[in-house]
Amino acid sequence: MNLVGSAVTARAHLPALFDTCGYFLQVASLASIGAAPMMSAYCASKAGVESFCHSLRAEVAHRRVGVGIAYINWTDTDMIRDVDAHAVLRELRGHMPPPARTVYPAPFVAERLVRAVERRRPSVYVPSWLRATQLVRAAMPPVVTMLSRRELPRLAAAHPFEATGLLGAGGRADSPAPEPSA
């Protein structure tokens, strides 16, 4: 849904963006930069969002439309609050370096996104230290794989992995409604 929703939203707004030489900001997240075990579909969808935005930026630049990518970390939303209810995701966050596991208040993140829109930034990193992850991006998959080889068997023994399903009220809204019982 992340990738398809991004594309559908952008395409729906392109006529207005062309008319106003507007700006489109899409959230890619830290998950688009550093793949995480047990989050393969989410990371792939966010990497797709990032690639989509790079391509869209090139497609619409001649029309003076700006396209930005927001790389954000853990933001205090219902989706992130649901993370800690699942052992595997709680452990994943716990194994991240301290700054990477910090949950940021939604107003803090929103203020920076608003500033990026006002300035038509091609990218915004919230928090700003996330920009440094681009410098080590190529090294992240082998490091994550090495750590996963060591940690996942231990974690699986302590807490058998279970699919989390969609998280937060937004994710639950995308889930099919249960069939009414007869």
Side-chain angles (χ1 to χ4, degrees):
M1 189 48 119
N2 287 315
L3 178 55
V4 173
S6 295
V8 168
T9 301
R11 298 294 178 201
H13 292 280
L14 278 178
L17 292 170
F18 290 151
D19 289 346
T20 62
C21 297
Y23 174 85
F24 180 76
L25 179 67
Q26 185 59 56
V27 175
S29 120
L30 174 59
S32 66
I33 297 171
M38 312 311 292
M39 294 180 59
S40 54
Y42 182 76
C43 290
S45 70
K46 289 300 189 176
V49 166
E50 178 188 39
S51 185
F52 171 76
C53 287
H54 285 306
S55 296
L56 182 63
R57 182 183 297 137
E59 289 174 19
V60 300
H62 71 285
R63 303 282 300 263
R64 302 181 67 144
V65 170
V67 176
I69 305 168
Y71 298 95
I72 63 174
N73 202 20
W74 303 93
T75 303
D76 187 22
T77 63
D78 60 347
M79 182 180 100
I80 298 306
R81 281 182 231 113
D82 277 2
V83 164
D84 286 338
H86 301 280
V88 67
L89 296 175
R90 185 174 53 247
E91 288 287 337
L92 168 72
R93 191 161 67 96
H95 280 77
M96 298 174 91
R101 65 182 138 190
T102 301
V103 176
Y104 294 88
F108 170 84
V109 175
E111 186 272 324
R112 278 148 184 86
L113 297 179
V114 166
R115 192 175 330 143
V117 170
E118 290 171 344
R119 296 176 180 174
R120 298 174 62 98
R121 298 275 188 203
S123 59
V124 57
Y125 296 84
V126 184
S128 57
W129 64 261
L130 277 180
R131 182 179 302 279
T133 61
Q134 294 287 10
L135 300 173
V136 297
R137 187 176 191 157
M140 290 172 81
V143 170
V144 169
T145 298
M146 179 188 70
L147 292 171
S148 295
R149 258 191 212 118
R150 185 184 74 214
E151 292 297 317
L152 286 181
R154 182 185 66 75
L155 295 174
H159 303 284
F161 299 142
E162 298 175 11
T164 62
L166 300 171
L167 301 177
R172 287 187 291 278
D174 284 342
S175 299
E179 294 292 323
S181 50

